Amino acid sequence: MSIVEFSFTDHSSGWTVKPFTLKPSLNLLVGISGAGKSQTLGNLFTVCKAALAAEYVPGDCEWSLKITSPEGEYLWRARTRAKDDDAGVDEVGGAPNGYDDYEFSTESISVNGEMLFERTPTETTFGGVALPSLSRDESGVRLFLSDKRIRPLAQALARVRLSYDKPLRRVILDDGLAWSKIRHKSSKSLSDLARDVALMFPLKAYVLQEKFKADFERLVLSPYREIFPTVTDVRVDLAAKLFPEEAHRRPRKGRRIDVAIRERGVKRWIGSEGISQGMERTLVHLLELALSPPGTVLLIDEYESGMGVNCLPAVTRHLRERAGELQFIITSHHPYVIGNIDKEDWLVVQRHGSEVSISPASSSPSLNTSSRQDAFIQLLNSDAYMEGIS
Amino acid sequence: MATLYVIVEGERTERRLYRSWLPYLLPDHRQVERIEDAAANTFFIVAGFGYPSYKQRIVDAIADVSAQESPFSHLVVAVDSEERARVDVEAEVQAVINDAHCPLPSRTLVAECCIETWLLGNRKVVSRSPESAELRGLLGLYSVVSQDPERMPNLDARFTTRAQFHGHYLRHVFAERRIPFSKKGPGAACGEAYFEQLRLRTESMTDGRPDLASFANLLGLPGWIEATAPR
């Protein structure tokens, strides 16, 4: 699956991302700082989350999201509104950031141009049949998750992942490791594991290490050691096992899992919080690439952040190798990244006030050139980039 | 009739100024956005993004102009001397051009000390009795009205370079007149009237030597093009 087109408006602030199209493989959002690259990625991720999470409705927003999947082309449109005060909103213990203060006002889901689900402020229909009133706290995608015509859309949206959004060191249930191994007892290959998008990322990495050792070696350990020759080993395990001095410092509930590295000349394991940001990001990217099933959409903000020239080229090469099988939507300012991703894959982000426009580099005349000047320099010299905010 | 490939050292200011100023010098010439659009009476500008990055821009520009059927007739490189002697900077640029075997006539324009220095040469824009105490102080230290801005040293210990001091001076000159100016938007300095004032300034003298001598090299561009045009 891949995202084909997206647009977004936050009516409360006026923030608007005008409709733009994406390629199924690699999309590099380029633009000066403040043009709206990161916020656009954030809007896209929020919308995908709003499709599947209960009581997670971004306030007073409107969007349109078109995706392709083997089952067809889906178009999901929605508009949200503040809940009526009289509707009895629970003000205690709700979702964070007031996401439970809003509800779906209008919404539609169509596949290949045929309307499946539609709701107006007063009516709801599915397949053209009027339905009784349904919860407006949940999207139509979630409400009809089990319907075979909606399920592909839900599955596709569940595969939109925001890279590096959570730490590798996490708290899991006491029996989390054993449970995750049992969960994948019958998995025959890495692709069975990769398809399990519901499993927490560090636990997925743990199963990869334990059950698919050759894949772990080939896709994570070996490339990581190639990038960082001083690293001798990578291990996913309970923090208490990796760092015996932590054994007595257990969280109140559950146990901590971590991904640690071993370096030549260093006597003990180094946990994810102890390694440099570049080493950590490299590790995360390699694990993400190994564990993402085909059809995953990976959103990577500030892709180069923390990564030096010793790791950026290799990680970029690994990433490009999976482009197409996975869809990447990346933001970057780095000359290496920009210079090593084909201009065909650039999307130039410009902002006029609160309105963001995103267009392919090929539509900017100055970027559509065979000049020998470095691609990054061409970008910096283009008016589309330089006049990115007005 | 010329087709110029122009490399300017800086990021934004120079690119904006040169694309405005070149048509004042070469009235029938217009800017093109891509080398593919270059033809007779056009110029293409690339911002070099500072020293030493601009040296690679020169090498890449020479690759562009060396391509088969390249329409370019002249290469122009515009840089700042900053803290160095102009002759040294010019020699360094010329060495890059020579090493890359430029097939075209080339000219290196070295601003003494930076493009902001040139902009200080407009006498009309400098207030004689400023409200700003800072500008009064600056004029007291060195009057860019009566003395050549290109020969102004760094007179303020807060700045580590002459270029920083000249930039500071210029910002106060513009602020006094409430003329918007930034590196991104040199505004009024792009205009023909401003350019004309700089041209006039080259006819003035300080201590028996002409003012804005390095700017005068820019004014000599049409004559050089004429003299080096392919016959």
Side-chain angles (χ1 to χ4, degrees):
Chain A
M1 94 102 184
S2 62
I3 295 172
V4 178
E5 194 180 280
F6 178 61
S7 65
F8 182 87
T9 300
D10 181 339
H11 289 284
S12 58
S13 66
W15 174 264
T16 297
V17 179
K18 289 166 75 178
F20 69 101
T21 53
L22 290 144
K23 295 175 76 174
S25 48
L26 196 50
N27 301 273
L28 176 67
L29 270 56
V30 293
I32 57 173
S33 295
K37 303 180 297 296
S38 301
Q39 200 160 336
T40 299
L41 277 198
N43 295 149
L44 180 54
F45 188 64
T46 297
V47 162
C48 295
K49 201 170 167 189
L52 301 170
E55 296 189 334
Y56 187 89
V57 186
D60 204 12
C61 293
E62 186 172 6
W63 62 81
S64 172
L65 179 68
K66 192 187 280 182
I67 69 156
T68 56
S69 78
E71 290 77 12
E73 189 168 83
Y74 284 85
L75 178 62
W76 177 41
R77 287 184 163 143
R79 166 93 201 235
T80 65
R81 65 182 180 198
K83 280 180 182 172
D84 188 341
D85 285 342
D86 298 334
V89 178
D90 176 11
E91 292 185 0
V92 181
N97 305 320
Y99 281 108
D100 57 348
D101 293 342
Y102 297 89
E103 62 183 13
F104 286 91
S105 165
T106 60
E107 194 182 355
S108 67
I109 301 170
S110 62
V111 58
N112 298 327
E114 185 194 341
M115 188 62 73
L116 281 181
F117 170 75
E118 190 169 23
R119 67 169 140 202
T120 67
T122 52
E123 292 172 357
T124 306
T125 60
F126 191 89
V129 178
L131 299 176
S133 181
L134 295 171
S135 162
R136 288 181 181 270
D137 289 343
E138 294 174 59
S139 74
V141 183
R142 187 177 157 87
L143 287 169
F144 293 96
L145 201 57
S146 53
D147 183 273
K148 67 175 192 229
R149 289 162 293 178
I150 297 285
R151 197 183 308 132
L153 174 61
Q155 284 171 338
L157 292 169
R159 290 188 179 185
V160 179
R161 179 181 166 83
L162 187 61
S163 173
Y164 200 69
D165 68 329
K166 289 194 177 80
L168 288 170
R169 187 182 172 90
R170 303 274 288 279
V171 174
I172 57 170
L173 296 172
D174 279 328
D175 57 353
L177 295 190
W179 170 82
S180 58
K181 277 171 89 173
I182 293 166
R183 183 179 166 106
H184 282 280
K185 197 175 170 187
S186 58
S187 292
K188 297 276 185 290
S189 67
L190 172 60
S191 59
D192 293 332
L193 170 65
R195 277 200 298 273
D196 184 359
V197 292
L199 186 61
M200 186 198 276
F201 187 64
L203 287 176
K204 216 168 164 179
Y206 175 73
V207 178
L208 172 66
Q209 168 192 272
E210 295 297 304
K211 191 167 169 78
F212 304 106
K213 289 185 169 67
D215 291 317
F216 184 75
E217 168 75 32
R218 178 174 60 88
L219 298 169
V220 181
L221 192 51
S222 174
Y224 196 68
R225 283 196 297 223
E226 202 173 298
I227 296 166
F228 300 108
T230 55
V231 171
T232 56
D233 204 358
V234 174
R235 176 133 198 94
V236 189
D237 215 329
L238 294 175
K241 252 185 166 176
L242 292 162
F243 319 111
E245 70 279 10
E246 278 195 24
H248 66 285
R249 280 196 281 132
R250 284 183 56 174
R252 259 190 294 173
K253 277 186 182 173
R255 312 182 76 177
R256 282 199 185 89
I257 188 172
D258 201 358
V259 184
I261 64 165
R262 199 84 192 239
E263 264 194 308
R264 202 179 303 133
V266 180
K267 284 183 182 164
R268 40 172 291 176
W269 288 99
I270 308 165
S272 61
E273 290 174 349
I275 63 177
S276 76
Q277 195 194 353
M279 289 182 99
E280 188 192 9
R281 275 195 91 122
T282 301
L283 192 51
V284 169
H285 287 318
L286 291 176
L287 285 165
E288 279 175 344
L289 291 172
L291 293 168
S292 294
T296 297
V297 179
L298 210 47
L299 313 178
I300 312 178
D301 193 22
E302 298 281 0
Y303 165 64
E304 72 276 8
S305 181
M307 289 200 285
V309 288
N310 55 333
C311 41
L312 205 44
V315 178
T316 306
R317 198 179 64 244
H318 287 293
L319 185 141
R320 290 179 57 153
E321 281 168 7
R322 290 212 69 193
E325 202 186 350
L326 314 183
Q327 184 184 33
F328 294 98
I329 308 173
I330 296 171
T331 74
S332 178
H333 292 280
H334 199 285
Y336 180 85
V337 178
I338 293 170
N340 281 275
I341 289 181
D342 201 315
K343 247 189 286 180
E344 298 283 307
D345 299 327
W346 296 359
L347 290 169
V348 182
V349 182
Q350 293 174 288
R351 180 168 60 79
H352 305 285
S354 300
E355 195 173 270
V356 174
S357 307
I358 301 176
S359 49
S362 56
S363 68
S364 173
S366 57
L367 293 174
N368 199 3
T369 176
S370 60
S371 170
R372 311 292 207 287
Q373 293 290 348
D374 190 79
F376 182 64
I377 289 295
Q378 288 175 27
L379 176 67
L380 295 186
N381 271 279
S382 73
D383 285 344
Y385 185 88
M386 273 304 182
E387 319 300 326
I389 304 176
S390 60
Chain B
M1 189 187 293
T3 311
L4 308 181
Y5 198 122
V6 183
I7 305 203
V8 296
E9 175 175 341
E11 213 170 295
R12 294 177 176 185
T13 324
E14 286 90 340
R15 187 164 175 266
R16 282 175 174 266
L17 288 172
Y18 271 89
R19 77 180 182 192
S20 301
W21 287 357
L22 284 176
Y24 306 148
L25 284 169
L26 305 161
D28 47 355
H29 287 62
R30 64 180 174 84
Q31 187 198 358
V32 291
E33 292 291 327
R34 310 181 312 151
I35 57 168
E36 286 82 355
D37 302 326
N41 296 344
T42 62
F43 59 89
F44 173 71
I45 303 186
V46 171
F49 287 84
Y51 178 88
S53 164
Y54 72 71
K55 294 206 279 187
Q56 186 56 44
R57 307 288 76 77
I58 297 171
V59 173
D60 294 342
I62 291 171
D64 276 346
V65 302
S66 302
Q68 244 186 350
E69 296 179 18
S70 158
F72 291 100
S73 62
H74 296 81
L75 176 72
V76 176
V77 180
V79 296
D80 299 335
S81 71
E82 303 229 344
E83 308 307 299
R84 301 168 66 196
R86 268 168 57 206
V87 286
D88 293 345
V89 175
E90 191 171 341
E92 185 175 353
V93 171
Q94 200 53 52
V96 175
I97 292 171
N98 292 344
D99 289 350
H101 306 293
C102 181
L104 304 180
S106 62
R107 187 172 173 97
T108 306
L109 303 167
V110 185
E112 174 76 55
C113 94
C114 57
I115 209 151
E116 283 83 356
T117 312
W118 286 356
L119 299 184
L120 284 168
N122 181 348
R123 283 185 168 127
K124 280 196 168 172
V125 85
V126 184
S127 171
R128 305 294 206 280
S129 48
E131 287 175 17
S132 147
E134 180 73 17
L135 185 56
R136 278 201 304 276
L138 288 164
L139 284 164
L141 281 172
Y142 190 101
S143 169
V144 290
V145 177
S146 56
Q147 293 173 281
D148 183 9
E150 289 194 4
R151 280 174 261 170
M152 179 167 68
N154 178 7
L155 297 166
D156 189 330
R158 288 176 295 171
F159 303 102
T160 51
T161 66
R162 273 176 82 203
Q164 286 170 2
F165 176 63
H166 289 195
H168 170 76
Y169 202 136
L170 184 69
R171 273 191 295 281
H172 281 279
V173 166
F174 281 135
E176 180 68 24
R177 297 286 196 193
R178 293 181 173 76
I179 299 171
F181 177 83
S182 66
K183 283 203 171 286
K184 189 182 171 192
C190 294
E192 191 163 10
Y194 202 106
F195 184 77
E196 192 50 36
Q197 285 301 311
L198 300 184
R199 190 203 297 264
L200 278 173
R201 184 65 186 264
T202 62
E203 294 166 9
S204 298
M205 312 274 264
T206 301
D207 300 331
R209 283 160 53 202
D211 290 349
L212 297 192
S214 72
F215 182 75
N217 286 339
L218 170 63
L219 300 178
L221 202 61
W224 170 74
I225 289 169
E226 178 67 29
T228 53
R231 304 284 169 204

